[in-house]
């Protein structure tokens, strides 16, 4: 009798287990019946402090660092005026490359800068100058139409290298009370000396009384520049410009040009 009772009990347990298994579907196993994040605070709570490093999202951010937001918006299209300016530079034979936008705060910025290393006629620019495209175009045009012909006429030689002392530079005009220099916008360039292909090296500082050819060339540089720039300042103007020529394309009212 006892054996029969034990056997009946065992069969009952097995039957109950089979019934439980048959009532359990795949969806019950794979889908929890608890609304995660709503009914279970322990699951839905966000980790704090150092515990965040253990979360899957934090681990992903550690393995794949976030990229810093670039200065220019992704996919920003170059304005038509800038595209046309670069087309003209190439037509003149200027060697240049595009740079990333410059923004040093305040007026110190160039949205679409270029770095010029070569000018028309295979003339080197040393060091390479960072400029706005408009300034690069004005300087390249002046070099081709004014400087090179003047050098050939005065010295029977082409220009080999233009040595510049300052292109883009974040600064104010000295003794101006805080007025931004055109250098801070990439709209200015200072020329220190001009090296010719015959080996002659012309320092643009005010020449001596008997340096007739050099004086004539520098006078042409100053006068011819006034047709392409809105500012031409050179040796003899003031102490700040005693050793270089300053060219810029400052936008003034009524088209005023400062050629001194």
């Amino acid at each position: 009798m006892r054996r029969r009772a034990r056997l009946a009990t065992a069969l009952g347990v097995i039957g109950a287990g089979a019934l439980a298994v048959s009532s359990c579907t795949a969806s019950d196993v794979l889908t929890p019946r608890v609304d995660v994040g709503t009914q279970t605070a322990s699951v839905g709570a966000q980790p704090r402090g150092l515990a965040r490093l253990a979360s899957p999202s934090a681990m992903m951010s550690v393995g794949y660092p976030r990229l810093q937001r670039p200065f220019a918006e992704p996919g920003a299209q170059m304005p038509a005026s800038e595209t046309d300016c670069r087309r003209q530079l190439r037509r003149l034979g200027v060697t240049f490359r595009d740079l990333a936008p410059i923004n040093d705060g305040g007026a110190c910025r160039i949205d679409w800068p270029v770095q010029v290393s070569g000018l028309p006629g295979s003339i080197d620019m040393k060091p390479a100058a960072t400029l706005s495209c408009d300034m690069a175009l004005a300087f390249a045009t002046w070099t081709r139409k004014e400087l090179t012909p003047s050098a050939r006429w005065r010295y029977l030689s082409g220009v080999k290298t233009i040595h510049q002392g300052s292109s883009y530079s974040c600064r104010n005009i000295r003794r101006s009370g805080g007025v931004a220099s055109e250098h801070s916008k990439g709209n200015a360039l200072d020329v220190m000396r001009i090296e010719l292909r015959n080996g002659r090296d012309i320092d643009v500082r005010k020449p001596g009384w008997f340096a007739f050819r050099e004086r004539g060339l520098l006078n042409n540089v100053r006068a011819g520049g006034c047709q392409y720039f809105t500012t031409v300042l050179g040796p003899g103007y003031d102490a700040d410009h005693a050793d270089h020529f300053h060219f810029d394309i400052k936008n003034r009212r009524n088209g005023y040009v400062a050629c001194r």
Side-chain angles (χ1 to χ4, degrees):
M1 293 295 292
R2 291 180 178 179
R3 289 182 180 179
R4 292 181 179 177
R6 291 175 181 175
L7 181 59
T9 301
L11 291 175
V13 171
I14 293 173
L19 181 61
V21 171
S22 65
S23 64
C24 182
T25 64
S27 61
D28 291 327
V29 174
L30 299 177
T31 305
R33 295 184 181 278
V34 179
D35 186 0
V36 178
T38 302
Q39 298 182 12
T40 55
S42 61
V43 175
Q46 296 295 322
R48 298 180 179 179
L50 294 177
R52 296 181 63 184
L53 294 178
S55 66
S57 60
M59 292 176 69
M60 288 294 290
S61 65
V62 171
Y64 301 93
R66 293 181 180 179
L67 297 176
Q68 295 295 327
R69 184 179 181 182
F71 172 74
E73 290 295 332
Q77 187 173 2
M78 182 178 290
S81 59
E82 293 287 341
T83 301
D84 182 64
C85 178
R86 284 156 175 76
R87 186 180 300 113
Q88 294 184 65
L89 288 181
R90 295 186 186 96
R91 188 178 301 136
L92 284 171
V94 177
T95 302
F96 71 95
R97 68 185 184 95
D98 289 315
L99 298 178
I102 298 172
N103 186 355
D104 291 328
C108 298
R109 64 179 295 156
I110 313 177
D111 291 334
W112 302 98
V114 294
Q115 186 180 68
V116 177
S117 57
L119 294 163
S122 300
I123 299 173
D124 293 330
M125 172 81 81
K126 292 185 178 180
T130 299
L131 302 166
S132 68
C133 190
D134 286 341
M135 180 60 192
L137 182 58
F139 193 83
T141 305
W142 167 81
T143 299
R144 180 181 179 181
K145 295 186 176 182
E146 300 295 333
L147 177 60
T148 298
S150 294
R152 290 191 181 281
W153 182 47
R154 299 279 178 180
Y155 289 94
L156 302 178
S157 174
V159 178
K160 179 182 179 181
T161 306
I162 293 178
H163 297 269
Q164 62 95 3
S166 179
S167 52
Y168 169 77
S169 178
C170 184
R171 65 175 188 256
N172 294 329
I173 299 174
R174 190 176 299 180
R175 297 183 296 275
S176 68
V179 177
S181 167
E182 289 301 301
H183 283 285
S184 68
K185 307 169 189 176
N187 288 336
L189 186 67
D190 292 342
V191 174
M192 313 302 292
R193 58 191 180 92
I194 301 167
E195 184 180 352
L196 303 182
R197 294 194 182 279
N198 63 6
R200 186 70 178 255
D201 200 352
I202 301 174
D203 191 321
V204 304
R205 286 179 291 188
K206 191 173 182 179
W209 288 105
F210 299 101
F212 299 111
R213 287 197 299 176
E214 188 170 339
R215 184 184 296 275
L217 175 63
L218 297 181
N219 285 340
N220 286 350
V221 166
R222 189 191 305 265
C226 298
Q227 301 177 41
Y228 304 88
F229 309 100
T230 57
T231 307
V232 180
L233 304 177
Y237 171 64
D238 63 13
D240 291 337
H241 298 85
D243 62 350
H244 67 273
F245 272 104
H246 169 94
F247 303 95
D248 73 45
I249 54 172
K250 182 183 178 73
N251 186 16
R252 296 188 180 90
R253 293 180 181 178
N254 303 321
Y256 176 73
V257 175
C259 189
R260 304 169 184 172

